């Protein structure tokens, strides 16, 4: 093993910068992971790449970027309890304090402690040859899953899974997905695995609609415009979908998700940012709708998701349209920023 | 029994008009109810009294008004199966078609058939000496409850109960009630009976706040202004309330209900009309909130509510500040329209 | 239309007897249904055919047998609100009083009134050329479903659906079905439609195991003996199934269902009769299992089931191994009693 | 601080033995807790004191006994993140591996790793002057709670809370508690705080019934005999209780809990050991009952419980009838073994 490695940081002016780092040494309860895949999330673009927008839990602190890491353990620190050299692992994207009430339930995403650190935001992430990870943020990757499959679960597929789990999608449901970016594609793929019989996706980008159709993830792909709702109703016998999820973060798509939900149905919002505005009697009360806010996922549910993906035999990596080596990280971020893509990932030879 | 009776209709210009009617004869599956209490709902004011606003299920068809009726059966038509002369009954406010999927679950409120008829809107209601009711819309009134208690359950307390049932209020929860009109007072009273330890009410009317305090229904009554949220947070250790319900229908109060809900909490909207607008990441996603639309209640839940009120030994009629005889119905409606009151009811000597 | 019709009654000594009846005239709120399919339920055999065992709601009163009826409306009585001549309908197997709290929720099965009458038990059922039905017990049959599909939903598939709905089966779950009689086959078929990825069925009859396999309803069919549990564990990575349902009513199979359920899983019992005995710490507490009793289904859920079956494009009638005309009802009952069959139904030319 | 301390061990022949130990030094992520209260659980008697019965997770390994510890932190090891000297803490009774799927959700009770260690069973527990605890098993004790209140939450009240949370007790429910030992008393106390309007307790011991009545924890205390069910039905208008919990572990009481549950109600079993046997149609299916197995509680729910107890202003220590110093531990165990007591605890001067 070499003693130094290259890592990518994001200065915040839509560029990527490379630096040399010593390969870290795992301390107590830590493991050293040789990176195999480290995908880029929409939040990396929105809150770091273009400009350092966030504060607190959303504040980027100049560390190696990448919060969707997956790789193979090459060294194990003292007092590790479960993992050993050679194990393939996906890393939950946040290390929490471990003692607050959110951490006690596994929702490190909501940890309020100063000790909370997201990989790639407040502690070194996956855009380097090696990652120093807390053992208790690692989840074992089943043999059937590629490293890239794993990376995509760490945040994006986890987000979709958490929301679909909360709205309890099953074969009872038609599913409406507004916004077919990476999280929307994940929702469609997982929704199908949960049993949804009909999946309708909407987006404002032709390219994204085509991608969803070509991957076979949606049954109907509809351009978002003033006729979209009518088309959804026509496809569902004028009922709407029993379950819906907004993955766009756009106010109009959020409204559409509510409108396209069947009476007594469930709707989840996971797309970040912005606002929503709607007539309450018409779209919530008289329709008897339940609307869920859902934020990323918990460590326990990531473990569960990975187990289910293995069982389902599905491959999140199919939603990844571009795989580039670390040295082409600049290109990767530009591409992701352009939106003319599905998921984009940094990958290493396996 | 006399052969004619007086009934009150609402011409839609903020007046009440009286007419003479023959006392109806109960047909098959019907009962004749001697009215004892017939309370006025906010929707009567909003959609009928001032102006005939509604269409379809909200369209007033010139019938005897009053959709919160309670009284005593004086005559039973053929083929009635459960009730007999002398029985005290509260009447669910809508007779549905009985065969659609909503009726099959007891949610006549959502019946889409042309046969759906709300008492006081599309078929004669409770503002007359007698009411012709379908037996299958009657719920037996326990001895411990007054007729006025019963009338208040038919719609208003039913609405509050349905929503609190859906958000599953218990001793685990502090409860925030935005809007202390009759439904808000009902939510506070039922919330306490469900076990809520701390009930915080907000309103823009000093009078309503005072009423809620004087009735002992809320632990804290807060005037709605820009400092309200801070006061709620101060009262809850900076956490907010585990459960919240908007009974106002005002956009600002709806936002406040969301803001005042604790992370992972549940919020219900029952106040009708208008819209809501909010930042989705901040108030729904990162707080992991579930938001419920809830519309009135079902026949089965009305039965359940009446059973529980009997068990709890509480009296909805305490929220009624004004009880007037039928001949003073004009005054009753003016009062209710003014908002300077709690609940207002037409009552008969018992 | 002829003026008389033949109907089959069950004297209780394992025979079927035929009688002549006048074709009934639909009264108010009633419809006359020309029978197309009328299937035989296990409870008909257990509680009527062999011997008249039941009392009260399970007491057979010498009426025309058959509580799973499906046919076409040929005459409509006065005051019917939804259905008309020519409509294809499945009939919920019980007419309730319509006013008790169970009826108010659509669970006529639990109606305690003396007015409760099950078709084929306390009022004339489907084993005749015509059936007189209450309009409010009819559910519209979608075009995609055969009359026999409909008949099978009236009780058996309804029972399986109610239970699987209660344990919330989805693509998250492997499903264990103990007992592959008609209800067990229904559970397997619906479980698959709900998304279950792996369906394991057990029975003590080779013939039933073969039938389930040949119909493609189970992924694994296991003979019930002392090695069954080990086989289930081997098939599920030593975890057991997330969801399980006992459709046998046998004590050993009920225990097996609990044992074969994964930690934190859900188990439902729908098979009738007999008892169960189990070690509580080992099979319920330490496994954190939730065990549901579930009894037939509600009118609302029957409507929902029929809608879903149409959407899923599945055919319950595939589980019917023997279709005989009314005049061969004796043979049909003998066959069903022998257990050497799937579902058995009386059918008419369509 | 002295360098040695006394600790009590349980040789397994119904005696208590004292040994000298060095006061431990907290390592990384550990805290040293000066013990203030360390209560005795029924499982200590059943599985250790009388005889060393358990294996694996129930195997006693000769360590200092006591798995319900509460005290004050006097020394903090390196890398602790939340707690500091002087903090009052209750200690969750198990330290899990921290990386398995159960630990990831906070259910260390179900951790399957060899690293799992219960305080007082596989690692030194609370029957000594000092306890070495993992920081991540500590929960902050609110000022309003005594150390003994805290100790009682660590296992017994946690067990009752978890089960009542799972069956969702609220003001909607009457609650039946079978078995009024320490966990049964806890269920009654928490049930009331959750809003239950009527609490019925049963036991075979006059003394326990009296204790429950004298503490005001139950509304009705009924001796368990063949007339008990009839009495429960008489007290509940022939309906039974909406919610029930067996805390006895006795087969007859478990059956009684099911029998005394109202149709559509929920029943939880938490009492350990033995079996249950019941007629399935009569007591589970036709009553539409849901039966929950529930095992102790999770770390997250212990935190939640402590927060709620503070809010409710209740005191678990009221159920403790005997408080003895460490040197009288023999007496304490004899007493607890006799059953002629409520909860028994080892306490230190505060």
């Amino acid at each position: 093993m070499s003693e130094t490695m290259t890592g990518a940081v994001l200065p915040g002016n839509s560029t990527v910068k490379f630096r040399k780092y010593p390969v870290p040494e795992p301390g107590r309860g830590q493991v050293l992971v040789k990176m195999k895949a480290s995908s880029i999330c929409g939040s990396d673009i929105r809150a770091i790449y273009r400009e350092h927008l966030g504060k607190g839990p959303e504040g980027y602190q100049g560390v190696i970027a990448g919060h969707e890491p997956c790789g193979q353990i090459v060294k194990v620190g003292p007092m590790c309890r479960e993992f050993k050299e050679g194990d393939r692992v996906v890393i939950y994207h946040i290390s929490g304090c471990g003692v607050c009430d959110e951490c006690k339930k596994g929702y490190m995403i909501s940890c309020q402690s100063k000790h909370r650190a997201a990989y790639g935001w407040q502690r070194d992430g996956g855009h380097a040859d090696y990652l120093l990870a807390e053992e208790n943020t690692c989840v074992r990757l089943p043999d059937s899953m590629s490293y890239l499959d794993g990376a995509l679960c760490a945040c994006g597929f986890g987000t979709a899974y958490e929301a679909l789990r909360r709205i309890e999608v099953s074969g009872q449901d038609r599913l409406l997905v507004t916004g077919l970016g990476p999280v929307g594609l994940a929702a469609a793929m997982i929704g199908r695995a949960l049993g949804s019989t009909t999946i309708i996706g909407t987006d404002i980008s032709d390219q994204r609609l085509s991608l969803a159709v070509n991957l076979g993830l949606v049954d109907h792909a509809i351009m978002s415009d003033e006729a979209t709702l009518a088309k959804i109703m026509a496809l569902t016998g004028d009922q709407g979908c029993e379950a819906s999820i907004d993955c766009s973060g756009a106010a109009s798509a959020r409204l559409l998700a509510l409108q396209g939900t069947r009476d007594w149905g469930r709707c989840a919002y996971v797309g970040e940012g912005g606002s929503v505005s709607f007539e309450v009697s018409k779209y919530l009360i008289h329709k008897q709708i339940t609307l869920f806010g859902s934020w990323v996922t918990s460590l326990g549910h990531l473990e569960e998701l990975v187990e289910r993906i293995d069982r389902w035999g599905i491959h999140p990596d199919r939603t990844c349209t571009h795989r580039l080596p670390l040295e082409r990280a600049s290109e990767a971020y530009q591409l992701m920023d352009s939106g003319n893509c599905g998921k984009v990932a940094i990958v290493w030879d396996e």
Side-chain angles (χ1 to χ4, degrees), chain A residues 8-234:
Chain A
V9 297
L10 303 171
N13 53 1
S14 295
T15 65
V16 173
K17 209 164 149 184
F18 295 95
R19 290 205 191 122
K20 283 279 163 202
Y21 297 85
V23 172
E25 191 63 27
R28 188 176 161 126
Q30 295 182 322
V31 297
L32 184 69
V33 179
K34 178 148 185 23
M35 291 306 304
K36 299 291 188 175
S38 177
S39 42
I40 302 174
C41 173
S43 65
D44 293 322
I45 302 297
R46 180 173 51 77
I48 312 184
Y49 176 68
R50 294 180 192 149
E51 195 180 349
H52 294 178
L53 284 184
K55 292 180 192 168
E58 297 232 321
Y60 174 66
Q61 297 176 357
V63 296
I64 297 170
H67 68 275
E68 303 186 341
C70 192
Q72 188 169 24
I73 293 176
V74 290
K75 213 174 204 173
V76 172
M79 296 298 287
C80 280
R81 297 184 151 191
E82 171 70 16
F83 291 104
K84 52 182 203 311
E85 215 184 297
D87 284 349
R88 303 165 78 236
V89 290
V90 46
I91 294 127
Y92 181 78
H93 60 298
I94 293 166
S95 172
C97 72
V99 282
C100 74
D101 59 340
E102 294 288 349
C103 283
K104 274 169 178 147
K105 293 179 291 189
Y107 279 89
M108 285 74 179
I109 178 74
S110 299
C111 171
Q112 301 285 333
S113 160
K114 65 180 175 187
H115 296 286
R116 175 192 189 277
Y119 293 101
W121 295 60
Q122 295 95 27
R123 64 182 281 171
D124 287 335
H127 289 356
D129 299 324
Y130 295 94
L131 171 75
L132 188 67
E134 304 300 314
E135 187 196 19
N136 65 14
T137 59
C138 293
V139 168
R140 188 178 302 280
L141 192 68
D143 291 344
S144 72
M145 291 175 68
S146 72
Y147 286 112
L148 186 49
D149 283 333
L152 268 52
C153 289
C155 172
F157 270 70
T159 298
Y161 179 68
E162 178 79 14
L164 296 186
R165 202 184 184 284
R166 217 167 282 180
I167 61 174
E168 299 181 332
V169 170
S170 76
Q172 299 271 31
D173 304 313
R174 291 171 292 210
L175 177 64
L176 172 62
V177 181
T178 57
L180 292 172
V183 174
L185 295 178
M189 188 183 276
I190 296 172
R192 183 87 75 196
L194 289 171
S196 177
T197 48
T198 310
I199 299 182
I200 301 175
T202 71
D203 205 296
I204 52 169
S205 148
D206 257 330
Q207 203 171 358
R208 288 187 155 179
L209 290 166
S210 299
L211 179 60
V213 168
N214 293 340
L215 289 170
L217 297 180
V218 298
D219 298 296
H220 308 281
I222 309 179
M223 173 58 64
S224 269
D225 55 30
E226 64 285 352
T228 314
L229 180 58
K231 289 177 189 167
I232 293 169
M233 297 314 275

Side-chain angles (χ1 to χ4, degrees), chain A residues 167-318:
Chain A
I167 61 174
E168 299 181 332
V169 170
S170 76
Q172 299 271 31
D173 304 313
R174 291 171 292 210
L175 177 64
L176 172 62
V177 181
T178 57
L180 292 172
V183 174
L185 295 178
M189 188 183 276
I190 296 172
R192 183 87 75 196
L194 289 171
S196 177
T197 48
T198 310
I199 299 182
I200 301 175
T202 71
D203 205 296
I204 52 169
S205 148
D206 257 330
Q207 203 171 358
R208 288 187 155 179
L209 290 166
S210 299
L211 179 60
V213 168
N214 293 340
L215 289 170
L217 297 180
V218 298
D219 298 296
H220 308 281
I222 309 179
M223 173 58 64
S224 269
D225 55 30
E226 64 285 352
T228 314
L229 180 58
K231 289 177 189 167
I232 293 169
M233 297 314 275
L235 287 168
T236 57
D238 256 333
Q239 293 176 328
C241 291
E242 286 77 15
S244 62
I245 178 169
D246 174 68
C247 304
S248 77
S252 59
R254 284 167 175 155
L255 174 59
L256 179 64
L258 274 185
Q259 292 172 319
T261 304
R262 186 176 179 179
D263 288 6
W264 293 100
R266 303 90 61 205
C267 176
Y269 286 174
V270 299
E272 295 274 0
S275 66
V276 71
S277 183
F278 57 87
E279 291 175 66
V280 171
S281 288
K282 190 167 176 187
Y283 295 126
L284 203 76
I285 294 179
H286 296 179
K287 293 183 69 169
Q288 308 267 25
I289 301 290
T290 308
L291 175 61
F292 295 76
S294 180
W295 195 18
V296 201
T297 192
S298 72
L299 184 54
H301 291 165
L302 173 57
E303 175 116 358
E304 196 180 80
L305 167 62
V306 163
E307 186 200 297
R308 289 306 190 279
I309 283 181
D310 176 44
R311 188 188 302 173
W312 294 329
I314 61 174
H315 286 284
D317 64 13
R318 293 180 61 233

